[in-house]
Amino acid sequence: MSFYKFKTIKGEKVLTYRDEIIRILIDEDTLQKKVIELGKKISADYEDKSPVLVSVLRGSFIFVADICREIKIPVTFDFMAVSSYGNSKVSSGIVRITKDLEHSIENKRVLIMEDIIDSGRTLNYLIKNLSARNPESIEVCALLDKNVPRKTENKVKYKGFDIPNKFVVGYGLDYAEKYRNFPFIGYIEKE
Ligand code: IMP
Ligand code: MG
């Protein structure tokens, strides 16, 4: 039997699984503290009119599940799935809606919940697409913002962490659908 195991290698806590080593970039504690902080901000900003949290599947599912319990005002949920990567680590640049919202967002205050902004293409596409449905407002909450050169302006109002330009996994984020269930954000050392 093989289970994930935390080990300390040269003073650094890592996760191991068979011959894989996963290094921790943002640990569980740090994630939870940030989630609480963001939840507070969102609660205060939307106090007078509750937002619909649009969770972008599948990467944001853990983040949304955690942060919604730190938002202390009524919210509603809807889910959207987009695909831009296939099974690769590099964005194809083509964004496709694979699952659309269930409800109208007309006159609603929309808060797009994203796991990570990389090239920004997915977010740009989503903002454009959802704006055309006449919501009262659209804002963006993203857990991670990758440090990559972008031509477009940063539209993230509620941001968790700026991270280096590395391919990260865990806390909802995957590589080829794996690793989403790690309780931290990390990256794979050996593949
Ligand atoms: P963008 O369109 O290039 O900004 O890519 C955004 C989407 O690609 C995110 O919502 C993620 O689903 C995925 N993605 C981007 N970078 C990573 C990463 O480092 N790990 C896992 N998924 C990523
Ligand atoms: Mg995503």
Side-chain angles (χ1 to χ4, degrees):
M1 267 197 293
S2 271
F3 293 120
Y4 295 142
K5 276 189 204 84
F6 284 104
K7 280 187 191 159
T8 303
I9 300 178
K10 289 183 192 155
E12 184 190 346
K13 187 178 163 192
V14 297
L15 187 75
T16 61
Y17 182 71
R18 296 191 170 148
D19 64 343
E20 289 181 334
I21 297 175
I22 298 108
R23 302 182 72 159
I24 301 170
L25 189 65
I26 308 169
D27 67 22
E28 226 178 318
D29 240 41
T30 312
L31 283 172
Q32 285 317 312
K33 285 200 182 101
K34 186 62 81 177
V35 163
I36 291 169
E37 181 192 318
L38 288 175
K40 274 198 186 128
K41 271 192 203 148
I42 292 169
S43 307
D45 289 358
Y46 287 90
E47 203 191 339
D48 53 329
K49 192 175 175 190
S50 64
V52 44
L53 304 186
V54 170
S55 165
V56 185
L57 297 172
R58 287 176 293 278
S60 74
F61 80 107
I62 295 180
F63 176 46
V64 171
D66 278 352
I67 199 172
C68 73
R69 284 173 286 179
E70 302 302 334
I71 299 177
K72 312 294 184 185
I73 52 163
V75 292
T76 58
F77 297 87
D78 211 337
F79 300 88
M80 205 164 173
V82 291
S83 146
S84 63
Y85 276 61
N87 268 353
S88 133
K89 283 187 182 177
V90 186
S91 170
S92 66
I94 302 157
V95 184
R96 197 163 48 89
I97 295 181
T98 55
K99 184 214 168 299
D100 207 345
L101 299 176
E102 298 286 327
H103 303 287
S104 163
I105 52 166
E106 198 172 345
N107 299 322
K108 299 263 172 71
R109 293 173 82 178
V110 172
L111 190 51
I112 299 175
M113 307 297 293
E114 261 285 27
D115 50 358
I116 186 167
I117 315 298
D118 186 357
S119 69
R121 284 196 193 101
T122 306
L123 186 60
N124 277 346
Y125 174 83
L126 281 173
I127 291 174
K128 221 170 131 189
N129 185 289
L130 296 180
S131 297
R133 306 181 196 192
N134 300 317
E136 183 183 314
S137 64
I138 295 192
E139 296 293 353
V140 181
C141 172
L143 179 68
L144 307 173
D145 190 349
K146 237 191 242 190
N147 184 13
V148 292
R150 283 178 212 129
K151 288 185 203 89
T152 51
E153 59 168 318
N154 198 326
K155 298 182 179 108
V156 182
K157 181 161 182 191
Y158 306 98
K159 174 161 60 175
F161 302 91
D162 288 298
I163 61 160
N165 190 4
K166 269 182 188 304
F167 196 87
V168 292
V169 296
Y171 201 68
L173 290 107
D174 73 306
Y175 172 52
E177 291 306 321
K178 281 173 30 182
Y179 311 111
R180 293 192 197 272
N181 57 327
F182 294 159
F184 56 84
I185 300 283
Y187 55 96
I188 304 146
E189 189 77 337
K190 273 198 226 160
E191 297 166 291

